Amino acid sequence: MYYLEKKTRVWNRNQSLAYIPGTVMDLANERERCAYLSREGWDIPAKDGSGSLFSGKGGLYFTLHQVLGSLKFEGTLTTKTANTELSFAVGDKWSETVKFEKAGSQTFEVSLPAGVFIADPMEPNYLSLQSNNSIMFKTFKLSRAG
């Protein structure tokens, strides 16, 4: 997905987009390992450990090895501007928008219904993100709800 399709931002040495739910995608400390970032919308994670800058449209590519029920997607970030909106979507199956009233360090958590992702190690899922202002992301985590 990096060389041929030019969809991912970071080269993945292991040639796998496998994601284990509950694992933190660390954009602050594990700069070279977050192969899930789309090429569109993301800057390469900063060397100073502040995270990865996101602007406009982009998302995350990953594969799952089992079908999960309801999920929650959560993370930590820093907004540079008040009233920043961040929208999430999985195709036309689900979407939600979070609004951050103030600038600064933030957390978010959104709930995803069962059935929005597929479990196939050869077919990546795509979680789309869109924002009206630049955001510095530090972590993401997708895990079982409840």
Side-chain angles (χ1 to χ4, degrees), residues 1-111:
M1 293 194 68
Y2 179 81
Y3 281 115
L4 298 178
E5 297 179 28
K6 300 193 182 293
K7 289 184 178 180
T8 56
R9 165 64 57 198
V10 180
W11 167 249
N12 183 356
R13 297 186 285 272
N14 300 325
Q15 306 277 323
S16 171
L17 291 173
Y19 177 71
I20 299 168
T23 305
V24 173
M25 298 178 209
D26 188 343
L27 300 175
N29 299 310
E30 298 181 26
R31 301 180 58 251
E32 304 299 326
R33 295 188 195 172
C34 197
Y36 307 112
L37 304 180
S38 67
R39 193 172 288 239
E40 183 182 20
W42 297 98
D43 283 346
I44 294 173
K47 290 182 180 180
D48 66 3
S50 61
S52 185
L53 187 65
F54 176 82
S55 58
K57 294 180 182 181
L60 302 170
Y61 287 98
F62 57 92
T63 60
L64 295 171
H65 291 274
Q66 65 180 1
V67 176
L68 302 171
S70 298
L71 300 167
K72 67 179 176 180
F73 184 59
E74 58 191 305
T76 59
L77 55 88
T78 301
T79 55
K80 297 180 177 214
T81 310
N83 297 316
T84 295
E85 291 185 1
L86 177 60
S87 298
F88 305 91
V90 178
D92 59 1
K93 298 177 183 178
W94 168 85
S95 65
E96 189 167 329
T97 300
V98 175
K99 185 172 183 178
F100 303 102
E101 302 287 335
K102 301 176 187 175
S105 293
Q106 313 279 347
T107 61
F108 70 88
E109 182 177 311
V110 293
S111 298

